[in-house]
Amino acid sequence: MDSPNLPTELLRTFITVIDLGGYTKAGAVIGRTQPAVSLQMRRLEEMLDAKLIHQVGRTLQLTEQGEMLAVYARRILCLNDEAVARFRRQMTAGVLRIGLPTDYAVAFLQGMMTEYAVHHPEVELEIRCELSRELLDDLQKDELDIVIAMTGEGVGQYLAREWVEQPIWATAGHVSVHKESPVPIVVHPEGCEYRNRITQALNAANRDWRVAYCSPGISGLQNAVLAGLGVSALTKRTLLDGMKVLSEKDGFPTLADIRVGLYYKHPRQSDAGVRLVNHIISGLDGAGGPEFKRPQRR
């Protein structure tokens, strides 16, 4: 039996419903009545033979199958909209507000943003670097258009792509601060996933610790580590010459993975935003970077 083709109009309705949180609001955006939106959702579920959304009180929640489809639907709609824009020669001018965690602002995503800006000078990029939870809040409030965020647990709303980072312990190669008790740590402010991983791992290993340096910026952490102020958790992309990686042999247990996601609201995304989303996804795939991993059910 041949696989059915998923109509983009049904996928667009599905994404609009979950992004706006209701059938009536979605209908107002796509120009359909609430019953028509409900009928489209039933058609999509029948095509896939899967329940996608269920009602909990007055709130719509995605099922596990719905979360999986949402990721694919955003990618399909992105490619569809970019193809249409290219043939219709739509203008991509405008302002895009991008939210990045500090690690990604100085790593390979910064290169992606720069490359996009060179090829699309008509688009103004406004890049904000903050804690991931603040970036996701700003996306929810429509103060940002596209966000890269690190999360402790899977955050499915607005998620287009998800991958995993493995934090690593780092200290300066010329010092032995990792042998001190309590262990001096170099961290971001509270709420940072890297900080959570550090304290959880040290607590589990029954090692006392103290905060020796705290900064919201990654460059501040890197300089503090190189200066020998303490131990921190970094990634391979933010590890610098002069740093030493610590392992279980040094008394530092493996740090838990961190989920990283690309988030945006498709129904309200501009053509310029769609192109940037596809540019980021293509860069992730082409760089041999983190492989796609579907979000787990929360």
Side-chain angles (χ1 to χ4, degrees):
M1 180 179 177
D2 295 336
S3 298
N5 294 316
L6 294 174
T8 54
E9 66 177 39
L10 298 186
L11 296 178
R12 196 176 302 278
T13 296
F14 170 60
I15 290 298
T16 306
V17 166
I18 63 177
D19 278 0
L20 300 184
Y23 295 102
T24 302
K25 292 180 180 179
V29 170
I30 62 178
R32 291 182 178 272
T33 63
Q34 185 272 334
V37 171
S38 299
L39 179 60
Q40 285 190 316
M41 290 302 303
R42 285 200 297 272
R43 285 179 55 200
L44 185 58
E45 290 181 330
E46 289 171 358
M47 289 185 67
L48 296 172
D49 191 24
K51 184 68 175 175
L52 303 174
I53 297 176
H54 59 85
Q55 188 98 20
V56 179
R58 296 183 178 181
T59 303
L60 296 179
Q61 290 189 0
L62 288 173
T63 63
E64 185 175 5
Q65 292 85 355
E67 288 184 343
M68 188 187 311
L69 178 64
V71 176
Y72 287 116
R74 291 184 195 278
R75 295 169 66 189
I76 292 170
L77 292 173
C78 254
L79 289 172
N80 175 84
D81 293 350
E82 183 172 355
V84 171
R86 183 175 296 275
F87 283 98
R88 290 185 176 178
R89 301 183 182 277
Q90 293 179 8
M91 295 296 292
T92 60
V95 177
L96 285 178
R97 303 162 300 172
I98 316 300
L100 297 175
T102 54
D103 283 23
Y104 282 86
V106 299
F108 72 99
L109 280 177
Q110 185 180 49
M112 290 184 189
M113 299 300 173
T114 302
E115 183 180 1
Y116 180 88
V118 169
H119 289 92
H120 299 281
E122 71 281 3
V123 179
E124 296 181 23
L125 298 183
E126 296 180 359
I127 300 177
R128 185 186 310 170
C129 298
E130 293 178 358
L131 290 175
S132 291
R133 64 183 182 185
E134 296 176 2
L135 295 175
L136 290 172
D137 286 343
D138 289 342
L139 178 66
Q140 177 72 42
K141 294 183 290 187
D142 290 325
E143 295 178 3
L144 288 173
D145 301 307
I146 300 171
V147 162
I148 303 293
M150 299 180 178
T151 62
E153 298 294 335
V155 178
Q157 190 176 31
Y158 311 129
L159 178 65
R161 192 68 178 254
E162 184 182 55
W163 62 97
V164 171
E165 287 284 2
Q166 173 62 61
I168 52 179
W169 293 103
T171 187
H174 66 281
V175 297
S176 300
V177 292
H178 60 286
K179 297 180 180 180
E180 296 179 9
S181 183
V183 179
I185 60 174
V186 174
V187 292
H188 290 307
E190 289 188 9
C192 168
E193 290 300 327
Y194 282 89
R195 177 172 178 152
N196 292 340
R197 296 298 188 277
I198 289 173
T199 57
Q200 290 167 5
L202 292 176
N203 289 338
N206 294 318
R207 296 200 63 178
D208 294 332
W209 53 270
R210 65 178 179 84
V211 176
Y213 182 90
C214 181
S215 171
I218 184 63
S219 59
L221 264 62
Q222 290 171 318
N223 290 332
V225 170
L226 286 174
L229 295 184
V231 174
S232 191
L234 301 173
T235 66
K236 290 181 179 179
R237 300 184 188 91
T238 52
L239 198 68
L240 301 180
D241 290 340
M243 292 182 182
K244 176 174 63 176
V245 175
L246 301 172
S247 66
E248 292 185 8
K249 294 186 297 184
D250 303 298
F252 290 83
T254 301
L255 292 160
D257 290 341
I258 293 178
R259 293 171 179 267
V260 188
L262 169 63
Y263 299 85
Y264 71 97
K265 294 182 178 180
H266 190 277
R268 300 180 182 179
Q269 192 58 263
S270 65
D271 175 57
V274 167
R275 288 174 182 255
L276 178 55
V277 168
N278 281 332
H279 177 71
I280 293 172
I281 291 176
S282 296
L284 288 170
D285 293 339
E291 295 183 357
F292 167 73
K293 180 177 181 180
R294 76 173 180 84
Q296 300 296 312
R297 187 175 182 178
R298 291 161 297 183

